[in-house]
Amino acid sequence: MHKIRGDVLLYIVVILAALAIGTVVSRINGSWPDFNNIKFEKAWLLLPAVVLQIISSLTEGKGYRFGTITTLTVNGAVFVFVFLVVWFNRRYAGLWLIGVGALLNALVMMFNGGRMPVDVSRLSTEAYMADALELIMKGADNKHVAINSATKLPALADIYSVPGFLGLGMPLISIGDIIIAAGLFLLCLQLLLKPRKAKTV
């Protein structure tokens, strides 16, 4: 999408809420969140995932449509990189939820040609959604496809409405997105409220 998607805005709000709650709880306990001991193994694996997403968005913006094989390869590679990061940092319970949500999204996308099915009948007809809706209907969106009678696993698709301003970019999200948001919230709290290491004398 050319706008910020609803799931992205949801993730940002969830992270900010977790940061606020974690900071307040830390202050109540007489300290500030300690970021010194936060360590993510192989975090650099997220870089190629981000690069692939950017390339996909840029080609989409130029009017280039990926074929099914390319779509499956690109979006499949993104999920592989994400799952690897989750695995290397599996000590964080929040990442397990993120992994489950990502897996559900990956399943429905892989069963539908590498694209996330969207219930276009529930998309807003407002002007800001016109371009995005047109791309989906033309089959020119490299990440989304309209739900139809042939759609596999429709319950896992983008069919849930995003309330308020969160839906300004993409007003529908999937159950996987909701689980990922819960995982992000838990992960942030885990990192912020992680017990400090005892100082050695």
Side-chain angles (χ1 to χ4, degrees):
M1 298 296 177
H2 298 297
K3 301 281 186 179
I4 297 178
R5 288 165 40 191
D7 55 356
V8 176
L9 281 173
L10 175 63
Y11 300 157
I12 292 173
V13 170
V14 163
I15 290 172
L16 291 176
L19 289 174
I21 293 173
T23 300
V24 169
V25 171
S26 294
R27 291 305 299 149
I28 291 175
N29 292 333
S31 63
W32 287 99
D34 184 9
F35 299 100
N36 294 325
N37 295 323
I38 296 177
K39 296 186 187 305
F40 277 97
E41 301 294 333
K42 305 293 190 296
W44 59 268
L45 286 170
L46 291 177
L47 181 59
V50 172
V51 170
L52 286 172
Q53 290 279 48
I54 292 174
I55 292 174
S56 178
S57 295
L58 289 176
T59 54
E60 178 185 298
K62 294 291 185 180
Y64 297 108
R65 182 184 184 277
F66 286 168
T68 300
I69 298 300
T70 304
T71 300
L72 285 168
T73 301
V74 171
N75 291 330
V78 169
F79 282 115
V80 168
F81 286 124
V82 171
F83 291 141
L84 284 173
V85 173
V86 170
W87 175 255
F88 284 120
N89 297 278
R90 57 190 180 277
R91 64 184 177 280
Y92 296 112
L95 278 178
W96 281 99
L97 279 179
I98 293 173
V100 169
L103 177 60
L104 294 179
N105 283 345
L107 282 175
V108 67
M109 291 177 71
M110 295 303 107
F111 273 100
N112 291 281
R115 292 176 170 83
M116 173 62 78
V118 180
D119 185 356
V120 293
S121 67
R122 301 182 63 185
L123 288 179
S124 170
T125 57
E126 297 294 332
Y128 74 88
M129 278 301 302
D131 290 342
L133 185 56
E134 182 181 3
L135 283 175
I136 294 175
M137 297 308 295
K138 287 167 53 178
D141 190 315
N142 289 325
K143 299 185 186 71
H144 302 86
V145 64
I147 286 179
N148 56 44
S149 59
T151 298
K152 309 280 195 310
L153 305 176
L156 300 180
D158 280 350
I159 59 175
Y160 300 96
S161 298
V162 184
F165 75 94
L166 294 177
L168 290 179
M170 177 61 178
L172 297 176
I173 59 176
S174 67
I175 188 66
D177 295 330
I178 296 172
I179 295 175
I180 289 173
L184 284 170
F185 184 81
L186 177 58
L187 175 63
C188 289
L189 286 183
Q190 281 185 286
L191 295 176
L192 289 170
L193 303 178
K194 185 177 180 180
R196 295 171 179 268
K197 290 183 177 180
K199 293 183 178 180
T200 55
V201 180

